[in-house]
Amino acid sequence: MTDRVTLRHSVPPSAVAEAEAWSAPAWVPTRALGRSVLLTGLLLLLGVALGRVDLVLLGAPFAIGAAVGLRRMPRSAPELLISGDEEHTVEGGHVEAAVTVSNPDVIPYDLVVLRTRTSRWLKLEQADRPFAISVPRDGWYSVELPGDALRWGRQQVGPAAARVAACNGLLACRPVVVSGQGVRVYPVTEPFNATEAMPAAAGLVGNHRSRRPGEGGELAGVRPFAPGDRLRRIDWRVSLRTRDLHVASTLSDRDAEVLLLLDVLGEVGVSGGVGGSASVLDTTVRAAAAIAEHYLQRGDRVSLLEYGAQARRLRPATGRRQYLTVLEWLLDVRPDPVELDEDDYENVFGVHHVSSDALVMVLTPLVDPRSADMLAQLTRSGRYVVAVDTLPAGAAPANRNQWTPLATRLWRIERENVLGRLREHGVPVVAWAGAGSLDLVLRDVARLASAPRGR
């Protein structure tokens, strides 16, 4: 269902006082009216000067035609409305858009030339081409622009402009321009599924087995009855054998917190939309949406954090409402390669901003050296960290000269060395490959978290 909002008419930015005057816009004469008046006056002057009646009679039709055409003058401007699809549109999905021209006046519009521009990631039929239509008095005409959404983000339908001619083409209204209508295109969720293993489950209730005793379904052992134990927990076999009441002890089922840390320090690769090649930002956003959807469906708490100059954050929460909030948050992800001072770096990206019980999934291409330093710092602080490599397989800079291929090869060798050093320091790094790509890594992290630590 589309929501049409009345948009104001275009006014000169320096003339604020003239904005109210557009309720009764200035209709300017066209060249046709100028030629008609000029030809009529010239024939009348020649007829009077030369005493020829035939010249006067020859100019009479032009004068009568102009008088008939201008017998009723337009008093109001046309109205333009841009309507966009407000539904949850996903990459590759169908988009419905329309541009409506309304005529609130008592005279018809002989000709309306309408043109609309759209985002290059919205493949709308018949967009970015002029339309020539006519609108009856007190009527409207809608130009439908159906199409497909090619890439996630906040795309724009518009701006649109219209030029109207009336009174048999003798008068033309000033161009009416309206701003674009935003269309939210959510990232496509790649198939993702992971095991139930979690390194730390610290919530109150949930689906993950924790190491803390409590009400749950996992048997932890049998212990003597104590005040406060429920009668249904009594193990009668052990109680009859020992002659003392014993109860079955269980491990509590708790939820976990998953922090998705998005590295937006740089963009590598060229985005080709949903059916083409994926850049680092495309892979990062789509992977974050898939991982968040998986863990939110299982009742876990999910939060997001940008690793960039702005350091946007999304607080941890659970449920479908949080999933929709995550999708909205991901629409505003942009490359943010701004340099930071060391003091600002510590204040914005300090480990104190990360919960000690959270599973931190860092989506990074590992192109900027600060990304590797951030991973090492999180690992040394005792956080449970998993690095997800989002660099496209064939990513390479444009070939500028004969040294570009050699420089690219050296850069890839250096990057492999960085990955090796991270793994030596205990940072698991895995390339994003959709469903099952994180199972082994999460299982290893959970096994390390449950192992006894030396004092």
Side-chain angles (χ1 to χ4, degrees), residues 96-111:
E96 291 287 346
V99 180
T100 304
V101 182
S102 301
N103 180 9
D105 216 320
V106 294
I107 63 172
Y109 292 158
D110 300 326
L111 177 65

Side-chain angles (χ1 to χ4, degrees), residues 260-264 284-285 288 304-308 329-330 333 363:
L260 301 179
L261 182 56
L262 279 63
D263 183 0
V264 294
T284 300
V285 170
L304 287 91
L305 173 62
E306 270 189 2
Y307 183 62
W329 191 89
L330 290 174
V333 174
L363 305 175

Side-chain angles (χ1 to χ4, degrees), residues 388-401:
V388 182
D389 188 3
T390 58
L391 184 70
N399 192 0
R400 299 180 180 178
N401 51 44

Side-chain angles (χ1 to χ4, degrees), residues 91-172:
E91 289 179 300
H94 188 69
V95 177
E96 291 287 346
V99 180
T100 304
V101 182
S102 301
N103 180 9
D105 216 320
V106 294
I107 63 172
Y109 292 158
D110 300 326
L111 177 65
V112 179
V113 179
L114 177 66
R115 187 165 187 174
T116 308
R117 294 188 179 274
T118 61
S119 170
R120 69 188 189 96
W121 298 116
L122 293 179
K123 189 178 180 181
L124 303 182
E125 298 178 4
Q126 301 178 350
D128 197 18
R129 51 158 292 187
F131 288 89
I133 58 177
S134 60
V135 182
R137 62 179 183 179
D138 198 18
W140 57 274
Y141 190 93
S142 181
V143 177
E144 301 294 335
L145 300 174
D148 299 324
L150 302 182
R151 189 174 184 263
W152 58 271
R154 301 186 186 275
Q155 312 300 342
Q156 288 284 331
V157 179
R163 187 72 185 270
V164 180
C167 300
N168 296 328
L170 299 178
L171 295 180

Side-chain angles (χ1 to χ4, degrees), residues 187-194 260 283-297 323 326-327 330 363 432 434-435 438:
V188 62
T189 304
E190 299 183 6
F192 174 75
N193 189 16
L260 301 179
T283 305
T284 300
V285 170
R286 293 166 185 167
I291 297 174
E293 180 185 20
H294 170 76
Y295 285 109
L296 287 174
Q297 287 180 350
Y323 176 60
V326 167
L327 293 180
L330 290 174
L363 305 175
W432 173 254
L438 306 181

Side-chain angles (χ1 to χ4, degrees), residues 305-368:
L305 173 62
E306 270 189 2
Y307 183 62
Q310 296 183 0
R312 294 191 307 130
R313 291 180 175 86
L314 180 64
R315 62 176 182 82
T318 185
R320 177 170 175 78
R321 181 177 180 180
Q322 176 70 358
Y323 176 60
L324 296 178
T325 306
V326 167
L327 293 180
E328 288 285 340
W329 191 89
L330 290 174
L331 294 182
D332 297 323
V333 174
R334 297 291 184 272
D336 197 2
V338 179
E339 296 292 338
L340 289 178
D341 297 334
E342 185 175 356
D343 296 337
D344 297 336
Y345 177 89
E346 292 295 334
N347 294 332
V348 176
F349 305 111
V351 295
H352 56 278
H353 294 292
V354 181
S355 174
S356 59
D357 295 324
L359 172 62
V360 184
M361 292 190 179
V362 183
L363 305 175
T364 172
L366 289 173
V367 175
D368 196 298

